[in-house]
Amino acid sequence: MTGTAGRHSEVIRQFTAAIRDGTPLVAQAAEGLASVELANAIILSSQLDRTVELPLDAAEFETWLNTKRASSRHVPALPAGPRVAADMGASFK
């Protein structure tokens, strides 16, 4: 793959430029939220094996998601050693 468009590093770089320099964002927040809503609708539809309408019923999705969380057997792995908050102060210099 050539170029950087579509990579997370490029999205973060452009987001940082928007904050620091006022550069226009590639996509506004509303577009991102619409994409997440569509993805959630696709997931819910496939899991319930039925059509769901947009705008997505957020309460229905949250109920389904909480049911999935409650039945999950996943145990998050914690890193070894003490938990330390990272100093991100120099990240955007």
Side-chain angles (χ1 to χ4, degrees), residues 14 18 22-26 28:
Q14 290 179 357
T23 305
L25 292 169
V26 173
Q28 297 298 314

Side-chain angles (χ1 to χ4, degrees), residues 5-26:
R7 294 184 181 172
H8 288 283
S9 60
E10 181 64 12
V11 171
I12 292 169
R13 187 194 67 72
Q14 290 179 357
F15 179 71
T16 303
I19 293 169
R20 293 180 77 181
D21 308 323
T23 305
L25 292 169
V26 173

Side-chain angles (χ1 to χ4, degrees), residues 14-84:
Q14 290 179 357
F15 179 71
T16 303
I19 293 169
R20 293 180 77 181
D21 308 323
T23 305
L25 292 169
V26 173
Q28 297 298 314
E31 293 176 38
L33 289 172
S35 296
V36 170
E37 181 179 34
L38 178 59
N40 288 344
I42 291 167
I43 292 167
L44 186 62
S45 176
S46 69
Q47 291 294 302
L48 300 180
D49 196 26
R50 66 171 172 81
T51 301
V52 296
E53 300 290 328
L54 289 175
L56 184 61
D57 182 339
E60 179 182 22
F61 183 78
E62 185 174 8
T63 298
W64 171 81
L65 187 57
N66 287 334
T67 301
K68 297 300 282 183
R69 286 179 181 141
S71 64
S72 174
R73 294 178 291 160
H74 174 71
V75 178
L78 296 176
R83 297 189 62 127
V84 179

